Amino acid sequence: MSPDVPLLNDYKQDFFLKRFPQTVLGGPRFNLGHCAPPYIYVNQIILFLMPWVLGGIGTLLYQLGILEDYYTAALSGGLMLFTAFVIQFTSLYARSRWVTVERMLTTDILAEEDEHEFTSCAGAETIKFLIPGKKHTANTVFHSFLAGLVCGLGTWYLLPNRITLLYSSAGGTVLLFFFGWMTLCIGEYSLIVNTATETATFQTQDTYEITPLMRPLYIFFFVSIDLAHRLLIMFIISTGTAVTSYFIPSTVGVVLFMTGLGFLLSLNLSEIVFGFKHSVTGHRVGTKSKALPNGLAKQFAWKEYLFYSIVLVLALLETGLLHHFAGFSQNSKNSPQAIVGYILMILFIILWILKEIQSVYIFGIFRNPIYPKHVQTVTLFLEKQTKLMKIGVVRRILINLVSPFAMIAFLSLDSSLQGLHSVSVSIGFTRAFRMVWQNTENALLETVIVSSVHLLISNTDIWWNRNLDTGIRLLLVGIMRDRLIQFISKLQFAVTVLLASWTEKKRRKSTTTLCVLNIVFSPFVLVFIVFSALLSSPLLPLFTLPLFLVGFPRPIQSWPGVVGTTACVCADTVYYYQMVPSLNTALQSAMAAGSLGLLLPGSHYLGRFQDRLIWIMILECGYTYCCINIKGLELQETSCHTAEARRVDEVFEGAFEQEEYARVCSINEHFGNVLTPCTVLPVKLYSDARNVLSGIIDSHDNLKEFKGDLVKVLVWILLQYCSRRSNMQENVHKTENKGKASLIILPPLNTSPQTESPEDTDSLNSENLDDWSDDVFGEEATIKKGKEEKVLSGINLPIPGSVESQRVGKHSTGTVTGNSLYQAVALGYPATDKGKQEAVAYIPLMEFSCSHSHLLSLPEEWISNCLPNSKVKEMSSLFPEDWYHFVLRQLECFHSEENASNVVEEIAKDRVLKDFYVQAVMTCYFSLFGVDNMIPSPGHILRVYSGVFPWSLALDWLTEKPELFQLALKAFRYTLKLMIDKASLGPIEDFKELTNCLEEYESDWYIGLVSDEKWKEAILQEKPYLFSLGYDPNMGVYTGRVLTLQELLIQVGKLNAEAVRGQWANLSWELLYATNDDEERYSIQAHPLLLRNLTVQAADPPLGYPIYSSKPLHIHLF
């Protein structure tokens, strides 16, 4: 990155300098960027100070003793309400008088935003500029009433006599009065006049006008709390105690209620209810699961219901029995609760050890000696991980069954539950009984800390033991635990940002000052970090520099909207679609075993395999379940993306690819990175291999063999097609004879050419044809015959050699009646005139010599001839009769016949049938190679593979038959793959081996273009192999791309959650408030420590650009 890259561009700096004062003052625009009339500024000042004037009237009457304080507040509030309505109705009137004038579009949108024309002080355009008005009528009324309420309370709060009594200082009274009214004016102006853009902008559009409410509500809450004192709080506490005592008078009932409700609320209720409704609906309809997976899913669902019911009953029994019969001597170290506390301590230590040894690093620093050192294949990894998997099963039992029941016993034996319940007991123990199930590991830690402190501090006079019950202690410990974890993560993030700024050599001069200031004022930086942790808000590094601010509190998922509904979908998205189900299964095992560490909502993980980067975020956790979101980042790597991806690879290689003789407990060399390796996951996905085919596709000998192999492949494909077609016809006839089918459409190989993908353009609908010469980058093709020159219309070649090459566009398939499809053809037909093909019936001239030949007869429209008979006879010598007979004997359509071998021999002797196949095969052959029977060039191979055929009379004939066109293209692609395999693996020995090879292509391969829709369908159907031919114009070489479906290892690491939240908070501020959308801005540049570029990519659109984002995925952990 260049050191001259600015944090903000020049035009964005001007825009920011205009917007920031407006944000500080709550809406007034005093820096317009152009010369505005003075009355624009005077009107804004009057509107800004209007609440102060109205409040000042009430304050003056109060100070003179004319009105009481509450009448003063009512008067000021009423005046403000009336003024607010006047302002809003004035805006409505001005907008109704406003005439919309279309303006010429300008490229400088920011400049256009500030260009206004004013004609008078009270003109419609002036009022519209000063008071834009509300979008919704309801907000006009609501905001006006809120303005009156805030002004009234503010006037009451800022009465000088009251402030003087509070602080006993005239100077303090003056300062608080002045700044207090300035704050009220800012809030009121934002509410009823013009709303400023807030730095806490959360989403791109404020549809419901929430932003104007932010400042007034802050003022309202502060003023209300100070005025209400403790009256409201005492009322709530008293009412809550009375209600609780009235409805649940029994202590046993309260404990059972807390236990049952805590367990139910910790379950994935949405999935359980959905599954229950689905099963009940299916039972009522009377449907039965025909497919095995659905049946197993239903059976598993009922097992889950049974498991949860048993656990709930056992928990209620344990709680009720212990609470009713056990003794309660809390002060004794030998009491039942103390004994359970000892058990919980031992259990916590065991679970912590079992969790740490599941991951590759202990504490993220020391490498786990038990974890496999060198991981290459799935089989080897699973063999080495057998012991860890057994340990994971033990941990799963302890965390899901033993620990919750042990903690329930600890809570049920507490003496605080024996007396009259207070609100503090109800709140504390309700949370405790739920946390036992909701987050078992954290609840266990909190319970162990409370139990340890109680055993260490036996003095009952201490505040901790005297004033707090066990539930409130657990609540306070839980808050401290959560904020301490956040503080450590934020502190680690701040140190990483400092190191990143210092180690970045290109900007070290400009960031040195900031680094020194952070060190000098480190106590203040720590205060910011502590304050951010207390508020549970992100620590915002401005422009990702060591300039830290406390961000605004945000939800854990960080972005508005439903999870998984937005993504920048592209051609590579399909690879993530395919791998997510298998990844979900692998994550289930890893999370249950503890390999990914402590599972908390808001945690982020990064997975890596080849060129794929998987971003995993935990949305929700509960008892035996976890809800996650999986995102896929782009595969086309930019320079920044590549730099950070390379560092991710280095981090994972240092953890998972160590030599066997390495030290037992090595240290994580990348400890300062925001990414900490966790484990590897076996996932079924496609590996991507790209090879250079130079020396194969341009070999003269290979191309010579290619022509002969193509004829054989055409024969095999046509015979296979007609064989399958005849089998389906027989099935249709049998069904029709039984009277059970009215219309059945046979699924041929391809009834029409493939649908074009977004990357493709029409290849048969343009006016040009690229030159059919050996040069891949040929000009417009012309085909000359005598003095005539014909330019083939309907073909437009793609970028030569790219895997997204063009192919044949759409062709009209015509209409074929059912009778013509299913009719048993027993006669041969001559070629017919093209113009009269549909109007004149075929005239039978020749009969098949075998009565079974109709089983392999070609469709009627394929039998017509378009080439001169002399040319067909000349090329018929290329037809391989021995191969034709061999393929006939291998067909399955004769297995049902009694004398199958005799039938095959009779068909093989049928000259009419063979002549039809010779004619069809050779016509397709001419369509692929042209009239001249010459050895094809590599460029020719690439173009035809991409679906662009050379022009000939045969091509016109072929394009009218979409099924045959696709079969010919398929045969050509199979032949190319056969040529590559023969050059790589050796020659084909006999016909049997050739048949096996073609059958493998048919069943296990998709051979086509990356841009084809069929390519995506093959990936989603999980075809074992995919192949595509391409050309690299930069290197001038032909390339082959092979995707292989197999179970491979994905490396997964845990990201610093606060680093992600902080960078996302800066991204939101920078794009939505500062509008700094420069693609080369500093905050998006690559950095190996912070992974800035990858983090920005993973943000939800429109700020980020992941190419895949899943719906919330629910993972069962038991």
Side-chain angles (χ1 to χ4, degrees):
M1 182 193 67
S2 172
D4 299 328
V5 174
L7 300 179
L8 282 172
N9 289 332
D10 293 337
Y11 66 97
K12 291 296 176 65
Q13 290 179 8
D14 295 337
F15 176 77
F16 179 76
L17 292 177
K18 297 173 188 175
R19 171 171 281 190
F20 187 70
Q22 182 184 358
T23 301
V24 172
L25 296 176
R29 289 179 279 185
F30 296 126
N31 185 5
L32 296 180
H34 67 280
C35 185
Y39 57 77
I40 295 296
Y41 303 102
V42 173
N43 287 341
Q44 290 186 88
I45 294 174
I46 293 174
L47 290 172
F48 181 80
L49 296 178
M50 184 66 67
W52 200 340
V53 173
L54 300 178
I57 296 174
T59 302
L60 180 62
L61 294 177
Y62 171 76
Q63 293 296 118
L64 296 176
I66 299 175
L67 293 177
E68 297 291 338
D69 53 357
Y70 45 88
Y71 289 125
T72 299
L75 175 63
S76 299
L79 292 174
M80 189 68 238
L81 176 62
F82 175 77
T83 305
F85 274 118
V86 171
I87 291 174
Q88 294 303 315
F89 283 117
T90 303
S91 175
L92 289 175
Y93 175 75
R95 281 189 289 173
S96 65
R97 296 287 302 274
W98 178 261
V99 179
T100 303
V101 179
E102 277 196 34
R103 302 180 58 187
M104 297 294 293
L105 294 177
T106 177
T107 56
D108 192 352
I109 300 175
L110 299 180
E112 183 186 10
E113 188 178 278
D114 287 334
E115 291 180 1
H116 303 276
E117 297 179 0
F118 306 106
T119 58
S120 64
C121 179
E125 68 282 353
T126 303
I127 297 175
K128 187 174 183 297
F129 170 77
L130 296 175
I131 314 168
K134 305 298 179 182
K135 299 178 183 177
H136 309 287
T137 306
N139 284 337
T140 301
V141 178
F142 174 64
H143 290 183
S144 299
F145 274 100
L146 184 60
L149 180 62
V150 171
C151 185
L153 291 176
T155 303
W156 191 7
Y157 181 78
L158 293 174
L159 292 175
N161 289 346
R162 184 178 177 280
I163 298 175
T164 303
L165 292 175
L166 185 63
Y167 293 101
S168 301
S169 172
T173 300
V174 172
L175 288 176
L176 188 58
F177 184 81
F178 175 78
F179 288 107
W181 272 110
M182 284 293 296
T183 303
L184 277 174
C185 290
I186 290 173
E188 296 283 12
Y189 194 96
S190 176
L191 185 61
I192 62 172
V193 182
N194 188 17
T195 304
T197 303
E198 300 289 353
T199 57
T201 302
F202 186 52
Q203 47 194 344
T204 53
Q205 294 183 347
D206 188 12
T207 306
Y208 302 104
E209 297 179 304
I210 303 298
T211 304
L213 301 176
M214 295 179 63
R215 300 176 189 234
L217 288 179
Y218 295 154
I219 298 172
F220 177 77
F221 288 144
F222 279 105
V223 172
S224 299
I225 291 173
D226 189 73
L227 291 176
H229 296 289
R230 298 178 59 86
L231 297 178
L232 184 62
I233 298 175
M234 294 302 296
F235 173 76
I236 294 175
I237 292 176
S238 302
T239 305
T241 304
V243 171
T244 303
S245 302
Y246 178 79
F247 284 105
I248 310 178
S250 172
T251 58
V252 176
V254 171
V255 173
L256 293 177
F257 175 77
M258 292 177 179
T259 304
L261 189 64
F263 176 79
L264 292 176
L265 293 178
S266 67
L267 299 178
N268 191 2
L269 295 177
S270 60
E271 289 294 310
I272 292 177
V273 172
F274 176 79
F276 181 75
K277 288 183 178 179
H278 180 72
S279 60
V280 170
T281 304
H283 179 72
R284 288 179 179 176
V285 174
T287 58
K288 294 184 179 180
S289 179
K290 297 181 180 180
L292 183 60
N294 293 337
L296 289 177
K298 184 179 293 186
Q299 183 180 4
F300 180 74
W302 282 110
K303 286 183 178 180
E304 274 193 323
Y305 300 146
L306 181 61
F307 171 76
Y308 291 144
S309 301
I310 293 175
V311 171
L312 177 60
V313 171
L314 292 178
L316 293 175
L317 285 175
E318 179 190 15
T319 304
L321 293 175
L322 288 177
H323 182 79
H324 184 72
F325 293 105
F328 301 92
S329 56
Q330 189 173 1
N331 297 331
S332 174
K333 293 185 178 181
N334 296 324
S335 64
Q337 189 181 31
I339 296 174
V340 175
Y342 292 128
I343 297 174
L344 290 175
M345 295 177 193
I346 299 173
L347 190 59
F348 172 76
I349 295 173
I350 295 174
L351 285 173
W352 178 83
I353 295 174
L354 295 181
K355 178 181 66 110
E356 289 295 326
I357 64 176
Q358 290 290 331
S359 183
V360 66
Y361 284 119
I362 299 175
F363 296 119
I365 303 175
F366 306 102
R367 197 182 192 283
N368 183 4
I370 303 178
Y371 200 88
K373 288 186 177 180
H374 192 67
V375 179
Q376 288 182 334
T377 62
V378 176
T379 305
L380 181 62
F381 172 74
L382 293 179
E383 290 178 358
K384 293 183 178 181
Q385 205 190 23
T386 305
K387 294 181 180 178
L388 292 179
M389 295 301 294
K390 294 179 180 178
I391 294 174
V393 173
V394 175
R395 179 183 177 278
R396 194 182 310 174
I397 295 173
L398 292 177
I399 203 70
N400 291 324
L401 294 177
V402 178
S403 297
F405 285 99
M407 284 186 283
I408 286 178
F410 179 86
L411 296 174
S412 302
L413 294 172
D414 194 84
S415 59
S416 301
L417 297 174
Q418 292 299 308
L420 180 63
H421 297 156
S422 62
V423 171
S424 63
V425 171
S426 300
I427 294 175
F429 277 94
T430 299
R431 175 200 173 268
F433 275 106
R434 179 174 179 177
M435 284 293 293
V436 164
W437 308 100
Q438 185 78 36
N439 199 329
T440 306
E441 293 185 70
N442 284 337
L444 182 60
L445 173 62
E446 297 165 9
T447 308
V448 167
I449 292 175
V450 170
S451 178
S452 301
V453 171
H454 176 70
L455 294 175
L456 293 175
I457 303 176
S458 57
N459 188 358
T460 57
D461 294 332
I462 297 179
W463 169 80
W464 178 265
N465 290 332
R466 184 181 68 254
N467 297 335
L468 301 179
D469 57 78
T470 303
I472 297 298
R473 294 173 197 163
L474 290 172
L475 176 61
L476 294 177
V477 170
I479 294 174
M480 289 187 288
R481 171 198 55 78
D482 180 73
R483 296 305 186 265
L484 179 62
I485 292 176
Q486 287 195 37
F487 173 77
I488 295 173
S489 298
K490 293 177 193 295
L491 181 61
Q492 184 180 0
F493 172 50
V495 173
T496 304
V497 172
L498 281 171
L499 292 176
S501 301
W502 179 259
T503 56
E504 195 171 7
K505 297 180 180 179
K506 295 181 180 180
R507 294 192 66 94
R508 181 174 294 177
K509 293 181 179 180
S510 57
T511 57
T512 300
T513 304
L514 287 176
C515 293
V516 173
L517 290 176
N518 274 272
I519 295 174
V520 173
F521 295 100
S522 56
F524 296 96
V525 176
L526 287 175
V527 169
F528 274 98
I529 297 175
V530 170
F531 192 56
S532 176
L534 291 176
L535 292 178
S536 191
S537 61
L539 182 67
L540 193 155
L542 202 61
F543 300 106
T544 66
L545 290 171
L547 183 60
F548 301 104
L549 301 174
V550 179
F552 290 87
R554 291 175 176 269
I556 291 178
Q557 73 181 50
S558 294
W559 305 111
V562 181
V563 174
T565 56
T566 55
C568 302
V569 179
C570 65
D572 295 329
T573 304
V574 67
Y575 300 108
Y576 290 107
Y577 267 110
Q578 179 274 325
M579 68 179 296
V580 162
S582 179
L583 177 61
N584 197 24
T585 303
L587 286 172
Q588 178 181 4
S589 301
M591 289 180 173
S595 302
L596 299 183
L598 187 63
L599 303 178
L600 294 174
S603 299
H604 297 266
Y605 298 87
L606 185 66
R608 175 71 168 167
F609 173 76
Q610 289 187 350
D611 56 353
R612 267 154 277 184
L613 283 162
I614 304 102
W615 193 283
I616 305 167
M617 180 181 181
I618 297 181
L619 303 174
E620 181 184 345
C621 288
Y623 182 62
T624 69
Y625 85 94
C626 181
C627 184
I628 65 172
N629 168 242
I630 298 178
K631 294 178 181 177
L633 306 188
E634 62 180 357
L635 304 186
Q636 302 296 329
E637 299 181 350
T638 60
S639 58
C640 295
H641 182 106
T642 303
E644 293 187 353
R646 189 183 303 116
R647 175 53 63 91
V648 171
D649 292 335
E650 292 175 0
V651 172
F652 284 135
E653 287 173 4
F656 301 115
E657 298 182 10
Q658 291 193 348
E659 300 295 335
E660 294 294 336
Y661 53 82
R663 289 185 301 173
V664 177
C665 287
S666 58
I667 297 177
N668 182 8
E669 298 177 355
H670 303 278
F671 176 69
N673 200 290
V674 295
L675 176 66
T676 303
C678 293
T679 187
V680 292
L681 304 177
V683 179
K684 189 177 182 182
L685 46 72
Y686 282 98
S687 62
D688 194 347
R690 302 169 191 254
N691 304 313
V692 176
L693 300 180
S694 298
I696 297 178
I697 195 173
D698 53 2
S699 171
H700 180 79
D701 295 334
N702 291 341
L703 294 173
K704 187 176 181 180
E705 291 183 9
F706 180 89
K707 299 185 67 176
D709 290 338
L710 177 60
V711 178
K712 294 179 182 178
V713 176
L714 279 169
V715 171
W716 184 84
I717 284 182
L718 290 180
L719 284 172
Q720 291 290 333
Y721 171 79
C722 293
S723 172
R724 289 194 297 267
R725 183 169 174 269
S726 65
N727 286 337
M728 299 194 70
Q729 286 177 3
E730 290 180 0
N731 295 333
V732 171
H733 287 313
K734 291 178 181 178
T735 307
E736 287 179 347
N737 292 335
K738 293 180 180 179
K740 294 184 179 180
S742 58
L743 176 64
I744 297 179
I745 299 176
L746 293 180
L749 179 68
N750 277 313
T751 58
S752 62
Q754 299 173 5
T755 305
E756 296 176 357
S757 64
E759 293 83 355
D760 294 330
T761 57
D762 292 339
S763 59
L764 286 178
N765 58 359
S766 68
E767 301 298 332
N768 299 329
L769 172 68
D770 291 350
D771 186 15
W772 277 92
S773 64
D774 292 346
D775 184 9
V776 178
F777 302 95
E779 301 293 335
E780 180 180 342
T782 59
I783 301 176
K784 297 181 179 180
K785 187 175 183 181
K787 296 181 180 180
E788 297 180 357
E789 182 178 277
K790 183 176 181 180
V791 180
L792 177 62
S793 63
I795 294 183
N796 181 25
L797 285 182
I799 297 175
S802 65
V803 291
E804 292 81 6
S805 301
Q806 314 303 322
R807 50 184 166 73
V808 175
K810 300 178 181 179
H811 311 282
S812 66
T813 59
T815 304
V816 182
T817 61
N819 293 333
S820 65
L821 283 176
Y822 304 141
Q823 181 179 0
V825 180
L827 300 174
Y829 302 95
T832 58
D833 182 73
K834 178 179 176 182
K836 300 180 180 180
Q837 185 172 355
E838 296 181 2
V840 180
Y842 289 102
I843 302 175
L845 297 179
M846 295 178 293
E847 293 186 1
F848 290 133
S849 61
C850 175
S851 59
H852 297 280
S853 295
H854 70 276
L855 296 175
L856 297 178
S857 177
L858 294 168
E860 297 177 14
E861 61 270 18
W862 295 5
I863 301 175
S864 61
N865 191 10
C866 66
L867 296 176
N869 291 332
S870 59
K871 197 65 180 178
V872 175
K873 290 180 180 179
E874 176 187 344
M875 302 302 297
S876 60
S877 59
L878 299 176
F879 187 82
E881 291 192 24
D882 51 350
W883 169 251
Y884 170 75
H885 295 157
F886 179 82
V887 176
L888 282 176
R889 296 185 184 94
Q890 302 297 318
L891 296 177
E892 299 179 355
C893 62
F894 306 113
H895 291 174
S896 60
E897 303 290 340
E898 296 181 358
N899 299 320
S901 59
N902 296 333
V903 171
V904 171
E905 293 299 331
E906 291 179 7
I907 293 177
K909 295 177 182 179
D910 192 331
R911 300 293 301 177
V912 175
L913 180 64
K914 192 198 79 167
D915 289 343
F916 286 163
Y917 273 94
V918 171
Q919 181 174 304
V921 168
M922 300 318 299
T923 305
C924 293
Y925 182 85
F926 281 124
S927 301
L928 297 171
F929 287 117
V931 179
D932 297 329
N933 186 23
M934 299 179 66
I935 297 176
S937 66
H940 181 105
I941 296 292
L942 177 61
R943 284 188 288 265
V944 176
Y945 183 92
S946 301
V948 184
F949 290 13
W951 182 88
S952 65
L953 294 174
L955 178 60
D956 291 339
W957 176 86
L958 184 61
T959 52
E960 295 174 356
K961 302 162 182 61
E963 293 181 56
L964 185 59
F965 183 95
Q966 292 297 328
L967 291 174
L969 180 60
K970 177 181 176 182
F972 189 92
R973 292 173 173 177
Y974 279 16
T975 307
L976 175 67
K977 185 64 175 66
L978 181 64
M979 181 183 74
I980 296 173
D981 289 347
K982 288 168 62 177
S984 304
L985 306 176
I988 301 295
E989 298 294 338
D990 51 24
F991 286 165
K992 183 63 176 177
E993 186 178 352
L994 178 58
T995 302
N996 293 337
C997 188
L998 293 176
E999 289 177 351
E1000 182 184 353
Y1001 292 162
E1002 186 73 18
S1003 61
D1004 297 341
W1005 285 79
Y1006 175 77
I1007 302 173
L1009 297 175
V1010 175
S1011 57
D1012 291 343
E1013 287 297 323
K1014 293 291 184 181
W1015 179 278
K1016 299 177 183 178
E1017 294 176 8
I1019 292 176
L1020 296 177
Q1021 294 169 3
E1022 295 193 339
K1023 276 276 187 180
Y1025 307 98
L1026 291 89
F1027 172 82
S1028 177
L1029 177 67
Y1031 182 81
D1032 188 347
N1034 296 323
M1035 300 180 62
V1037 295
Y1038 295 90
T1039 59
R1041 183 180 183 184
V1042 178
L1043 300 183
T1044 304
L1045 182 64
Q1046 52 187 323
E1047 196 171 32
L1048 298 168
L1049 296 176
I1050 290 183
Q1051 300 163 332
V1052 179
K1054 188 172 186 178
L1055 294 161
N1056 186 330
E1058 293 302 325
V1060 176
R1061 292 183 67 200
Q1063 293 184 73
W1064 280 356
N1066 172 73
L1067 176 66
S1068 178
W1069 177 87
E1070 196 171 351
L1071 290 185
L1072 299 182
Y1073 180 76
T1075 67
N1076 186 26
D1077 56 351
D1078 188 355
E1079 294 181 355
E1080 298 298 328
R1081 63 185 183 273
Y1082 172 76
S1083 61
I1084 202 175
Q1085 300 297 319
H1087 198 284
L1089 284 178
L1090 291 174
L1091 303 181
R1092 278 189 300 222
N1093 190 267
L1094 298 180
T1095 305
V1096 169
Q1097 285 187 50
D1100 281 4
L1103 304 186
Y1105 44 97
I1107 65 174
Y1108 170 79
S1109 182
S1110 70
K1111 299 288 185 181
L1113 302 174
H1114 299 272
I1115 297 178
H1116 299 279
L1117 302 180
F1118 188 74

